[in-house]
């Protein structure tokens, strides 16, 4: 079992994961809470729509027997490889697919499965992806400005930054990054690219930092000034909100009666989509909402795993 040296604590489950021939720690967010909330029969069928390292799936998979099934999806090919490593020893059937969760129903159906007991989506990214040079997402390290989690996509972040007009760029930073300085940031980007193409994350981070460093302007936030612009671009490049809408639309038809859907989101744009979809499905007599308010990690979990700090978990049951 790939247990992190030092093992689990009462607030977190800690896994040791192989990434680029070194071992890193992976703590699945709200994992203990999830296993308390969701009961899977030993012959249950679960779809992990965002398999990542396979942390959450491993936890549920430990309680599945040989009749149980985990179908894991991920748009990152490397994630599939990493999940394989973690899920290897499970006795249940494990099917890992390099697929987008927007296609969840079709993908599961192709495996000869019509209905499932549990759908889990732990949105966002794994720390390994942030650190991955190829993904090009970090503003801490200078990387090619790519941001495609799925390398089958054609348009990179550099394509967007260098090619769309100033207004479209400003709207994108405002709508997906919620940065009120979006117009100023867009102006700085357009001015800079008139001189040279913007090709790295370091270049873009420096341009945004300059745009926001007005004398006398105090940014109260302690986050890096480029955080919101990077979030906006990542959402646009990977079409994240549209994919989530499709997942949420397909889920009710894929769940068995009394089956559950659990979604962990990391920013308000995602959480709003989940909340509205669950509410609409409750009105339509598809779901009973289990979490009237989202479940958030406690201080102890956040102290052990900083990635958990913005997490919100919502659960609904098919009726
Ligand atoms: C936070 S990680 C999941 C971690 C996982 N729960 C674990 O414990 O190891 C999110 C994963 O979702 C994947 N992902 C993001 N959008 C996706 C999509 N539309 N379809 C499938 N996977 C997606 C990312 O590539 C990433 O590997």
């Amino acid at each position: 079992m790939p247990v992190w040296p030092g093992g689990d604590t009462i607030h977190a489950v800690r896994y040791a994961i192989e990434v680029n021939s070194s071992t890193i720690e992976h703590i699945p967010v709200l994992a203990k809470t999830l296993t308390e909330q969701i009961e899977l029969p030993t012959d249950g069928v679960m779809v992990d729509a965002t398999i990542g390292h396979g942390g959450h799936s491993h936890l549920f998979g430990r309680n599945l027997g040989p009749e149980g099934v985990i179908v894991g999806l991920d748009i990152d090919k490397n994630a599939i490889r990493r999940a394989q490593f973690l899920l290897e020893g499970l006795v249940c059937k494990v099917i890992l697919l390099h697929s987008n969760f927007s296609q969840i129903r079709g993908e599961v159906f192709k495996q000869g499965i019509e209905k499932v007991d549990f759908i889990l989506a732990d949105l966002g990214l794994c720390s390994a992806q942030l650190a991955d040079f190829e993904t090009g997402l970090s503003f801490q390290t200078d990387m090619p400005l790519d941001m495609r989690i799925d390398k089958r996509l054609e348009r990179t972040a550099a394509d967007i930054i260098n090619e769309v007009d100033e207004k479209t760029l400003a709207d994108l930073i405002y709508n997906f990054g919620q940065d009120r300085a979006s117009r100023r940031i867009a102006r700085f980007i357009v001015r800079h690219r008139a001189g040279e193409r913007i090709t790295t994350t370091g270049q873009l981070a420096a341009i945004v930092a300059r745009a926001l460093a007005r004398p006398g302007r105090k940014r109260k936030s302690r986050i890096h000034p480029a955080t919101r612009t990077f979030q906006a671009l990542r959402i646009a490049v990977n079409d994240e909100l549209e994919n989530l809408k499709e997942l949420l639309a397909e889920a009710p038809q894929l769940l068995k009666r009394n089956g559950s859907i659990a979604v962990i989101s990391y920013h308000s744009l995602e959480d709003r989509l989940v909340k509205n979809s669950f509410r609409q499905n409750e009105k339509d007599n598809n779901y009973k909402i289990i979490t009237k308010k989202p479940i958030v990690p406690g201080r102890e979990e956040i102290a052990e795993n900083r990635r958990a700090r913005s997490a919100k978990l919502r659960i609904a049951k098919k009726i």
Side-chain angles (χ1 to χ4, degrees):
M1 240 274 277
V3 174
W4 183 251
D8 296 357
T9 68
I10 52 165
H11 306 292
V13 188
R14 308 157 88 90
Y15 287 107
I17 307 281
E18 294 277 334
V19 179
N20 300 337
S21 45
S22 54
T23 306
I24 62 160
E25 183 188 40
H26 172 57
I27 306 179
V29 172
L30 285 164
K32 295 222 161 179
T33 312
L34 264 174
T35 48
E36 284 157 17
Q37 294 279 335
I38 307 287
E39 248 180 73
L40 260 188
T42 54
D43 63 349
V45 181
M46 156 179 185
V47 187
D48 187 338
T50 53
I51 193 83
H53 297 305
H56 286 110
S57 274
H58 187 271
L59 269 182
F60 284 97
R62 290 199 296 210
N63 299 322
L64 290 175
E67 305 299 314
V69 182
I70 296 175
V71 182
L73 311 180
D74 208 293
I75 44 175
D76 181 356
K77 220 174 179 176
N78 294 330
I80 300 288
R81 210 172 17 79
R82 288 195 282 265
Q84 242 155 9
F85 167 79
L86 199 60
L87 304 176
E88 221 163 36
L90 296 177
V91 297
C92 63
K93 186 170 175 187
V94 176
I95 305 167
L96 298 177
L97 305 169
H98 181 211
S99 307
N100 196 306
F101 59 50
S102 61
Q103 312 290 321
I104 189 166
R105 221 170 131 225
E107 291 293 344
V108 172
F109 192 71
K110 274 193 241 160
Q111 304 305 317
I113 301 167
E114 259 182 70
K115 302 267 178 192
V116 306
D117 298 282
F118 179 35
I119 299 172
L120 171 65
D122 175 22
L123 304 171
L125 297 171
C126 300
S127 39
Q129 288 168 323
L130 282 174
D132 191 349
F133 196 76
E134 256 180 51
T135 321
L137 279 161
S138 173
F139 42 73
Q140 320 281 8
T141 318
D142 199 18
M143 300 174 172
L145 187 59
D146 188 322
M147 298 198 184
R148 288 169 306 158
I149 301 168
D150 190 339
K151 296 297 177 208
R152 295 170 297 192
L153 292 172
E154 278 175 13
R155 201 174 56 157
T156 67
D159 293 335
I160 296 180
I161 280 293
N162 289 291
E163 284 155 29
V164 305
D165 64 74
E166 186 175 325
K167 181 178 181 309
T168 309
L169 201 52
D171 288 348
L172 186 151
I173 296 169
Y174 185 75
N175 292 331
F176 295 158
Q178 297 168 301
D179 198 319
R180 277 184 285 158
S182 58
R183 311 237 157 266
R184 190 174 164 82
I185 296 169
R187 200 177 336 127
F188 270 63
I189 291 171
V190 168
R191 209 181 288 161
H192 188 100
R193 77 187 189 193
E196 62 167 350
R197 193 173 159 87
I198 302 164
T199 56
T200 72
T201 58
Q203 257 178 311
L204 179 61
I207 296 164
V208 178
R210 272 202 302 280
L212 298 179
R214 280 188 289 180
R217 178 189 161 125
K218 283 206 184 101
R219 270 181 89 89
K220 290 186 202 107
S221 162
R222 278 188 294 150
I223 61 171
H224 187 288
T227 305
R228 295 180 208 281
T229 301
F230 271 58
Q231 172 185 303
L233 269 175
R234 198 196 81 199
I235 291 176
V237 167
N238 296 292
D239 215 4
E240 292 182 13
L241 301 179
E242 288 308 310
N243 289 334
L244 178 57
K245 279 185 205 164
E246 287 179 39
L247 167 74
L248 293 167
E250 296 212 337
Q253 301 147 74
L254 184 58
L255 284 171
K256 288 181 192 166
R257 203 162 163 251
N258 287 324
S260 304
I261 173 166
V263 184
I264 305 174
S265 61
Y266 294 88
H267 56 77
S268 59
L269 298 173
E270 288 170 344
D271 183 56
R272 194 177 312 142
L273 290 180
V274 181
K275 180 175 75 181
N276 291 343
S277 163
F278 282 12
R279 285 194 180 158
Q280 187 58 48
N281 273 296
E282 193 164 62
K283 272 193 202 143
D284 297 342
N285 288 323
N286 281 327
Y287 285 169
K288 173 180 172 21
I289 295 175
I290 304 299
T291 47
K292 292 291 168 218
K293 287 210 167 124
I295 300 178
V296 295
R299 254 189 302 162
E300 296 84 354
E301 180 174 348
I302 295 170
E304 291 197 41
N305 184 14
R306 252 182 73 73
R307 217 175 65 75
R309 68 193 185 283
S310 48
K312 286 195 169 132
L313 165 65
R314 293 186 186 267
I315 303 173
K317 215 175 212 245
K318 177 82 190 285
I319 48 179

